[in-house]
């Protein structure tokens, strides 16, 4: 028997499951629903609901104002500061500013993280203030809907990885789309993606669109990985 107040029996598994749910909310961002969490983690919906309610009761999570989703609570931000990404190096910010000044369209930078699970995590590191990202929650929670997420998924397939880019046209919004090129570390691992968000017509001239991003991609790799 475990000592009073100790952890025994099935409790360690329950604690780990709660931490996995907490990590998923942090990765997906504010507004993720119980159904999405259940699907992403391949977890029974009843289990996901039970853990989410427990985390809300303990203030590790909060419900969004419309009660349809969840976000990190005060205890998490106090303990780990998970809601605030580390600031980008000044050299990387300079590259992004120069690109935005020379390219008509939104220029965004996303980051990728692989944890113990096989599903990559996506976070927007720096969004173009003049071209706000639409559907940010969908982009970070469902990797199939945008070029940002598709680039991460392409890493596991040699055929798509060899393309060196990911593309989405007319799917999130008719008449527009996005193109993302990879930024890799010294070992060749994907760490970030440089994205151009613009009109569908412009993206159909793929060579021209890639030509706009590639010089900036090389400079960002240097700035972000200290090459």
């Amino acid at each position: 028997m475990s000592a009073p107040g100790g952890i025994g029996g099935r409790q360690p598994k329950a604690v780990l499951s709660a931490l996995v749910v907490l990590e998923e909310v942090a990765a997906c961002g504010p507004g993720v629903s119980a159904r999405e969490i259940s699907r992403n983690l391949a977890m029974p919906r009843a289990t996901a609901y039970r853990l989410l309610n427990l985390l809300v009761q303990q203030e590790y999570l909060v419900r969004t104002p419309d009660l349809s989703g969840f976000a990190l609570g005060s205890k998490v931000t106090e303990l780990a500061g998970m809601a605030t990404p580390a600031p980008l190096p000044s050299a990387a910010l300079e590259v992004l500013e120069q690109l935005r000044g020379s390219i008509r369209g939104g220029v965004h930078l996303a980051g990728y993280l692989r944890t113990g699970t096989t599903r990559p995590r996506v976070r927007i590191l720096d969004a173009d203030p003049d071209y706000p990202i639409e559907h940010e929650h969908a982009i970070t929670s469902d990797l199939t809907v945008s070029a940002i997420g598709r680039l991460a998924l392409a890493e596991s397939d040699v055929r798509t990885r060899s393309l060196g880019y990911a593309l989405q046209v007319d799917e999130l919004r008719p008449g527009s789309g996005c193109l993302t090129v990879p930024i890799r570390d010294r070992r060749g691992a994907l760490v970030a993606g440089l994205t151009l968000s613009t009109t569908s017509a412009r993206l159909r001239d793929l060579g021209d669109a890639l030509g706009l991003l590639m010089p900036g991609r090389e400079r960002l790799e240097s700035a972000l990985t200290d090459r």
Side-chain angles (χ1 to χ4, degrees):
M1 294 181 61
S2 60
I7 296 178
R10 297 182 179 179
Q11 290 180 357
K13 183 176 180 181
V15 170
L16 290 175
S17 295
L19 291 173
V20 168
V21 169
L22 190 62
E23 181 186 22
E24 187 64 18
V25 175
C28 291
V32 62
S33 68
R35 178 177 296 182
E36 290 172 321
I37 290 170
S38 173
R39 181 197 65 205
N40 293 347
L41 298 177
M43 177 182 287
R45 194 172 299 176
T47 301
Y49 276 109
R50 185 172 67 252
L51 292 171
L52 286 164
N53 287 331
L54 175 63
L55 290 167
V56 168
Q57 291 171 14
Q58 299 300 319
E59 299 181 6
Y60 287 101
L61 295 179
V62 295
R63 291 187 178 274
T64 51
D66 62 0
L67 302 181
S68 66
F70 299 85
L72 295 179
S74 59
K75 282 190 177 179
V76 174
T77 54
E78 289 170 4
L79 288 172
M82 293 176 66
T84 306
L88 292 173
S90 58
L93 293 173
E94 289 175 8
V95 174
L96 290 170
E97 184 177 355
Q98 290 169 4
L99 286 172
R100 289 164 183 164
S102 62
I103 298 176
R104 289 181 296 104
V107 176
H108 314 292
L109 184 68
Y112 302 105
L113 175 66
R114 290 186 181 273
T115 59
T117 64
T118 58
R119 180 176 177 270
R121 311 292 187 184
V122 176
R123 170 172 279 182
I124 304 302
L125 299 178
D126 196 89
D128 192 326
D130 294 328
Y131 295 85
I133 295 178
E134 297 183 36
H135 314 290
E136 181 172 341
H137 170 62
I139 289 170
T140 56
S141 61
D142 184 351
L143 303 187
T144 66
V145 303
S146 73
I148 291 173
R150 290 174 186 176
L151 187 69
L153 294 175
E155 287 295 285
S156 60
D157 189 325
V158 175
R159 294 168 300 177
T160 51
R161 180 178 180 179
S162 64
L163 292 175
Y165 65 86
L167 185 68
Q168 177 273 119
V169 178
D170 289 330
E171 296 176 47
L172 282 175
R173 184 160 63 89
S176 67
C178 53
L179 169 69
T180 303
V181 295
I183 295 171
R184 302 185 183 278
D185 63 16
R186 292 190 181 111
R187 297 173 298 173
L190 180 69
V191 294
L194 178 63
T195 297
L196 171 63
S197 177
T198 186
T199 64
S200 304
R202 196 175 184 193
L203 289 174
R204 290 193 179 97
D205 187 348
L206 191 56
D208 181 65
L210 284 170
L212 294 173
L213 289 181
M214 296 310 284
R217 181 195 70 82
E218 294 171 1
R219 293 168 61 200
L220 279 171
E221 279 195 341
S222 177
L224 292 173
T225 60
D226 292 325
R227 293 192 173 195

